[in-house]
Amino acid sequence: MIPFLDLQAQYASIKTDVQDAVNRVFETGQFVLGDEVAAFESEFARYVSADHGIAVNTGTSALHLALLAAGIGPGDEVITVPFTFVATVAAIGYTGASTVFVDIDPQSLTMDVAQLEAAITPRTKAIVPVHLYGQPADMDPLLAIARRHGIIVIEDACQAHGAEYNGRRVGSMGDLGCFSFYPGKNLGACGEGGIVVTSNPKYARTVRMLRDWGSEKKYHHVLRGYNYRMEGLQGAILRVKLRHLDAWTDGRRSRAVEYDRCLRDADVTTPREMPYARHVYHIYAVRTPERAELQRTLQSRGVQTGIHYPIPVHLQEAYRDLGYAAGDFPHTERAANEVLSLPMFPELTNNQVEFVAAAVHHDVHAL
Ligand SMILES: Cc1ncc(COP(=O)(O)O)c(C=O)c1O
């Protein structure tokens, strides 16, 4: 059996340090925010080359607060892609703004920046590029367009911890960047977690207030805020894990190289690392029009796979009121029908990669 993800293997490699971190929190009693969370905020901000980090309870909350701090609200339009996890669009909806979609580029599976300008209207306030699967969106042309129109850029880096665009870390290029620490992410908490990073002190201050009931001083509520605070245990554990992130990313990248090599002659399309990108392979997704058959074959050989994501957001029932229909975003719709995520985690061995690849070859030949 080859799992899609193996969190136990990761825990085994850092068990003592995690247990020490947990003990520290119990001994200080700082279960919500506190010193460990504050230290994690500065360490993670430094990691992505941003001046400020504000830790929150989920990546979704990070997006929600980044949008609010940027002044997004009812009557505004926010541009993003329909090929993303639903949370990107949900967070835009929480502010009262409406979502405008731009299709993806079929190579990178991130926003097709060539189509961006046509989607901008006088109501467009923000663009949310999604660094899907761990590959950065094409940020330079996107930032140039945003600057020209005076539009704020909020990076959805929830899948892309440590990814780089022409040598710059994701999260630090836009006005604000948002990360998720859901357990299966490249940097995952032992529960839920997220962070907003920014180098704008005004945005940082607003996000910091909004995550804690709109206050800087206890019981003095300047803004109408939320309870989006990070737990002390998550901060302490994330500090331990952050020290391993680069090694884990190297592990993912070498497994991706091995998959690429083993699948070169297979009848599936392997992911493309764009010339500007240092992809961190949160997800390694191959593409085939025969996806259902391939997934069944892999399952029968004990290989777990996933589909990220089978239904684009513009075709989800919950978002019907955005007014889109099938056929509106052909590259997104085709990708949603074809992608299949193979097992990918740093502890995966080359033998396991070869086993998965052999099963893919077998399926293709059996068709
Ligand atoms: C692209 C993207 N955006 C947003 C989120 C939301 O993060 P969370 O699950 O921590 O709320 C996720 C992760 O689940 C994601 O993959």
Side-chain angles (χ1 to χ4, degrees), residues 224-245:
R224 292 192 183 183
Y226 301 83
N227 177 358
Y228 281 175
R229 299 171 300 229
M230 178 178 273
E231 295 187 343
L233 285 169
Q234 304 310 339
I237 293 167
L238 285 165
R239 288 185 75 196
V240 171
K241 290 195 174 192
L242 180 58
R243 298 202 292 268
H244 298 273
L245 180 58

Tab-separated table of all heavy atoms in Angstrom, residues 224-245:
chain	number	residue	atom	x	y	z
A	224	ARG	N	-14.519	45.874	14.086
A	224	ARG	CA	-15.350	44.693	14.314
A	224	ARG	C	-14.558	43.486	13.848
A	224	ARG	O	-14.433	43.240	12.648
A	224	ARG	CB	-16.653	44.807	13.542
A	224	ARG	CG	-17.514	45.901	14.112
A	224	ARG	CD	-18.912	45.845	13.573
A	224	ARG	NE	-19.675	46.981	14.111
A	224	ARG	CZ	-20.951	47.177	13.876
A	224	ARG	NH1	-21.618	46.341	13.108
A	224	ARG	NH2	-21.554	48.211	14.394
A	225	GLY	N	-14.013	42.769	14.795
A	225	GLY	CA	-13.055	41.717	14.436
A	225	GLY	C	-13.601	40.308	14.580
A	225	GLY	O	-14.813	40.086	14.612
A	226	TYR	N	-12.686	39.364	14.663
A	226	TYR	CA	-13.012	37.927	14.641
A	226	TYR	C	-12.176	37.207	15.689
A	226	TYR	O	-11.156	37.726	16.148
A	226	TYR	CB	-12.689	37.339	13.258
A	226	TYR	CG	-13.464	38.030	12.164
A	226	TYR	CD1	-13.001	39.231	11.614
A	226	TYR	CD2	-14.671	37.516	11.715
A	226	TYR	CE1	-13.725	39.894	10.635
A	226	TYR	CE2	-15.400	38.169	10.734
A	226	TYR	CZ	-14.928	39.360	10.193
A	226	TYR	OH	-15.647	40.000	9.236
A	227	ASN	N	-12.567	35.995	16.006
A	227	ASN	CA	-11.705	35.136	16.803
A	227	ASN	C	-10.972	34.203	15.841
A	227	ASN	O	-11.419	33.104	15.555
A	227	ASN	CB	-12.543	34.331	17.805
A	227	ASN	CG	-11.675	33.376	18.592
A	227	ASN	OD1	-10.469	33.289	18.361
A	227	ASN	ND2	-12.260	32.651	19.516
A	228	TYR	N	-9.875	34.686	15.284
A	228	TYR	CA	-9.099	33.922	14.293
A	228	TYR	C	-7.677	33.681	14.813
A	228	TYR	O	-6.733	33.604	14.058
A	228	TYR	CB	-9.006	34.728	12.984
A	228	TYR	CG	-10.227	34.699	12.077
A	228	TYR	CD1	-10.238	35.496	10.914
A	228	TYR	CD2	-11.334	33.897	12.319
A	228	TYR	CE1	-11.316	35.492	10.045
A	228	TYR	CE2	-12.428	33.897	11.447
A	228	TYR	CZ	-12.407	34.694	10.315
A	228	TYR	OH	-13.467	34.697	9.437
A	229	ARG	N	-7.515	33.619	16.140
A	229	ARG	CA	-6.162	33.511	16.711
A	229	ARG	C	-5.563	32.128	16.516
A	229	ARG	O	-6.279	31.117	16.548
A	229	ARG	CB	-6.223	33.806	18.215
A	229	ARG	CG	-6.724	35.216	18.532
A	229	ARG	CD	-6.975	35.374	20.010
A	229	ARG	NE	-7.978	34.447	20.505
A	229	ARG	CZ	-9.013	34.787	21.265
A	229	ARG	NH1	-9.197	36.044	21.623
A	229	ARG	NH2	-9.870	33.887	21.683
A	230	MET	N	-4.239	32.072	16.370
A	230	MET	CA	-3.563	30.776	16.315
A	230	MET	C	-3.381	30.235	17.736
A	230	MET	O	-3.107	30.989	18.668
A	230	MET	CB	-2.195	30.894	15.635
A	230	MET	CG	-1.455	29.564	15.620
A	230	MET	SD	0.141	29.617	14.786
A	230	MET	CE	-0.374	29.294	13.105
A	231	GLU	N	-3.480	28.922	17.871
A	231	GLU	CA	-3.258	28.289	19.173
A	231	GLU	C	-1.761	28.182	19.473
A	231	GLU	O	-0.955	27.947	18.560
A	231	GLU	CB	-3.846	26.883	19.171
A	231	GLU	CG	-5.349	26.881	19.037
A	231	GLU	CD	-5.945	25.495	19.204
A	231	GLU	OE1	-5.191	24.501	19.106
A	231	GLU	OE2	-7.162	25.430	19.444
A	232	GLY	N	-1.430	28.287	20.745
A	232	GLY	CA	-0.029	28.193	21.174
A	232	GLY	C	0.637	26.887	20.760
A	232	GLY	O	1.796	26.875	20.322
A	233	LEU	N	-0.088	25.776	20.882
A	233	LEU	CA	0.503	24.476	20.513
A	233	LEU	C	0.901	24.462	19.042
A	233	LEU	O	1.952	23.931	18.675
A	233	LEU	CB	-0.497	23.340	20.772
A	233	LEU	CG	-0.694	22.937	22.233
A	233	LEU	CD1	-1.891	21.993	22.365
A	233	LEU	CD2	0.566	22.269	22.793
A	234	GLN	N	0.057	25.059	18.195
A	234	GLN	CA	0.366	25.046	16.747
A	234	GLN	C	1.600	25.893	16.462
A	234	GLN	O	2.469	25.505	15.690
A	234	GLN	CB	-0.832	25.531	15.934
A	234	GLN	CG	-2.129	24.768	16.170
A	234	GLN	CD	-1.974	23.256	16.086
A	234	GLN	OE1	-1.029	22.744	15.488
A	234	GLN	NE2	-2.898	22.534	16.684
A	235	GLY	N	1.695	27.057	17.117
A	235	GLY	CA	2.865	27.918	16.923
A	235	GLY	C	4.143	27.191	17.312
A	235	GLY	O	5.147	27.218	16.592
A	236	ALA	N	4.108	26.524	18.475
A	236	ALA	CA	5.301	25.831	18.974
A	236	ALA	C	5.705	24.691	18.038
A	236	ALA	O	6.895	24.498	17.737
A	236	ALA	CB	5.028	25.304	20.383
A	237	ILE	N	4.716	23.937	17.555
A	237	ILE	CA	5.013	22.802	16.671
A	237	ILE	C	5.489	23.303	15.305
A	237	ILE	O	6.437	22.762	14.718
A	237	ILE	CB	3.764	21.890	16.533
A	237	ILE	CG1	3.473	21.211	17.873
A	237	ILE	CG2	3.962	20.858	15.427
A	237	ILE	CD1	2.111	20.549	17.962
A	238	LEU	N	4.850	24.357	14.809
A	238	LEU	CA	5.256	24.898	13.498
A	238	LEU	C	6.690	25.430	13.540
A	238	LEU	O	7.411	25.349	12.539
A	238	LEU	CB	4.271	25.981	13.045
A	238	LEU	CG	2.923	25.440	12.549
A	238	LEU	CD1	1.879	26.552	12.469
A	238	LEU	CD2	3.075	24.750	11.184
A	239	ARG	N	7.120	25.949	14.687
A	239	ARG	CA	8.520	26.416	14.797
A	239	ARG	C	9.476	25.234	14.596
A	239	ARG	O	10.500	25.376	13.920
A	239	ARG	CB	8.774	27.014	16.179
A	239	ARG	CG	8.123	28.341	16.393
A	239	ARG	CD	8.529	28.910	17.728
A	239	ARG	NE	9.900	29.412	17.687
A	239	ARG	CZ	10.624	29.682	18.765
A	239	ARG	NH1	10.135	29.469	19.962
A	239	ARG	NH2	11.843	30.161	18.635
A	240	VAL	N	9.140	24.106	15.183
A	240	VAL	CA	9.989	22.913	15.017
A	240	VAL	C	10.011	22.504	13.545
A	240	VAL	O	11.067	22.265	12.958
A	240	VAL	CB	9.443	21.736	15.876
A	240	VAL	CG1	10.175	20.434	15.543
A	240	VAL	CG2	9.526	22.068	17.357
A	241	LYS	N	8.823	22.467	12.945
A	241	LYS	CA	8.729	21.961	11.566
A	241	LYS	C	9.370	22.910	10.553
A	241	LYS	O	9.923	22.450	9.555
A	241	LYS	CB	7.266	21.717	11.204
A	241	LYS	CG	6.645	20.542	11.944
A	241	LYS	CD	5.359	20.179	11.241
A	241	LYS	CE	4.725	18.938	11.796
A	241	LYS	NZ	3.641	18.479	10.902
A	242	LEU	N	9.288	24.221	10.824
A	242	LEU	CA	9.856	25.190	9.876
A	242	LEU	C	11.351	24.922	9.655
A	242	LEU	O	11.865	25.109	8.552
A	242	LEU	CB	9.608	26.617	10.382
A	242	LEU	CG	10.140	27.763	9.517
A	242	LEU	CD1	9.565	27.718	8.097
A	242	LEU	CD2	9.827	29.122	10.158
A	243	ARG	N	12.017	24.461	10.697
A	243	ARG	CA	13.459	24.186	10.577
A	243	ARG	C	13.750	23.062	9.583
A	243	ARG	O	14.866	22.914	9.101
A	243	ARG	CB	14.048	23.827	11.959
A	243	ARG	CG	13.923	24.955	12.984
A	243	ARG	CD	14.936	24.788	14.107
A	243	ARG	NE	14.661	23.626	14.950
A	243	ARG	CZ	13.916	23.673	16.066
A	243	ARG	NH1	13.381	24.802	16.463
A	243	ARG	NH2	13.725	22.588	16.780
A	244	HIS	N	12.751	22.229	9.305
A	244	HIS	CA	12.942	21.104	8.389
A	244	HIS	C	12.385	21.370	6.994
A	244	HIS	O	12.532	20.542	6.094
A	244	HIS	CB	12.258	19.847	8.947
A	244	HIS	CG	12.819	19.415	10.259
A	244	HIS	ND1	13.916	18.573	10.351
A	244	HIS	CD2	12.465	19.732	11.526
A	244	HIS	CE1	14.197	18.381	11.634
A	244	HIS	NE2	13.343	19.068	12.366
A	245	LEU	N	11.717	22.513	6.827
A	245	LEU	CA	10.965	22.726	5.582
A	245	LEU	C	11.851	22.648	4.332
A	245	LEU	O	11.469	22.009	3.349
A	245	LEU	CB	10.192	24.055	5.646
A	245	LEU	CG	9.354	24.397	4.411
A	245	LEU	CD1	8.324	23.303	4.113
A	245	LEU	CD2	8.633	25.740	4.597
